[in-house]
Amino acid sequence: MASSASTFIPRVLSGYRRLFRARNSLFTGDVRAMVESRVAIRAEFDANKHVTDQTQMEGLLLMIDEAEDMLLNGIMRGELNPEKGAYEVKIKSEHADSNDSGSATTIEPITSETANNTSNNPKVVITSSSCKSNHTTDDKK
């Protein structure tokens, strides 16, 4: 059993590095998010460091893959521009759904502070894009 558990070590370390790269990609320039994501990733790995069951280990490795995908493709960063009363978001190609260009993009706040800033429902303005086509969401509620 010990030899089979040791086969997971390279995959676990690779997953750890991939999560840190994904967090760097997403949170560059946001000191608070960088610190909190580092602490959260480390805490999850520490909490599961004694897992030896192969089925449970495979499940944890799958969770690493899903978390990496979420960080890279499921979250967009935006900054509130107080002058415009709108969030400015740079849409990357992985965030654009070219098959459903008519649908509105919903951006949900991540923190309670951000949620408090959205009480007056500011518009979301896409300032630049690496996508083939630029979409602007102007959802006035």
Side-chain angles (χ1 to χ4, degrees), residues 59-136:
L60 292 169
L61 290 167
L62 179 61
M63 288 174 59
I64 290 171
D65 294 340
E66 291 172 351
E68 179 191 25
D69 183 61
M70 179 189 67
L71 288 170
L72 293 174
N73 304 312
I75 300 174
M76 292 184 294
R77 284 185 58 205
E79 293 186 27
L80 180 61
N81 182 333
E83 294 172 3
K84 294 180 182 178
Y87 282 92
E88 296 180 345
V89 179
K90 293 182 181 178
I91 304 289
K92 296 180 183 177
S93 58
E94 58 267 19
H95 297 120
D97 185 6
S98 60
N99 296 331
D100 191 14
S101 61
S103 68
T105 301
T106 302
I107 300 174
E108 298 176 11
I110 294 176
T111 67
S112 61
E113 293 159 350
T114 308
N116 291 337
N117 289 337
T118 62
S119 61
N120 61 353
N121 293 323
K123 298 186 307 183
V124 174
V125 178
I126 300 171
T127 56
S128 68
S129 174
S130 59
C131 302
K132 291 180 182 176
S133 63
N134 290 337
H135 300 285
T136 301

Side-chain angles (χ1 to χ4, degrees), residues 10-93:
R11 291 174 61 194
V12 169
L13 294 175
S14 171
Y16 188 77
R17 287 188 301 268
R18 287 185 295 123
L19 286 175
F20 268 76
R21 277 190 231 109
R23 106 186 216 284
N24 286 338
S25 173
L26 178 62
F27 298 127
T28 298
D30 187 341
V31 175
R32 179 178 171 195
M34 289 290 283
V35 169
E36 289 182 12
S37 62
R38 182 190 70 221
V39 170
I41 291 168
R42 180 60 189 228
E44 284 299 315
F45 276 80
D46 284 344
N48 294 294
K49 68 182 176 183
H50 299 294
V51 173
T52 57
D53 179 65
Q54 289 185 350
T55 304
Q56 190 176 1
M57 184 65 77
E58 286 294 341
L60 292 169
L61 290 167
L62 179 61
M63 288 174 59
I64 290 171
D65 294 340
E66 291 172 351
E68 179 191 25
D69 183 61
M70 179 189 67
L71 288 170
L72 293 174
N73 304 312
I75 300 174
M76 292 184 294
R77 284 185 58 205
E79 293 186 27
L80 180 61
N81 182 333
E83 294 172 3
K84 294 180 182 178
Y87 282 92
E88 296 180 345
V89 179
K90 293 182 181 178
I91 304 289
K92 296 180 183 177
S93 58

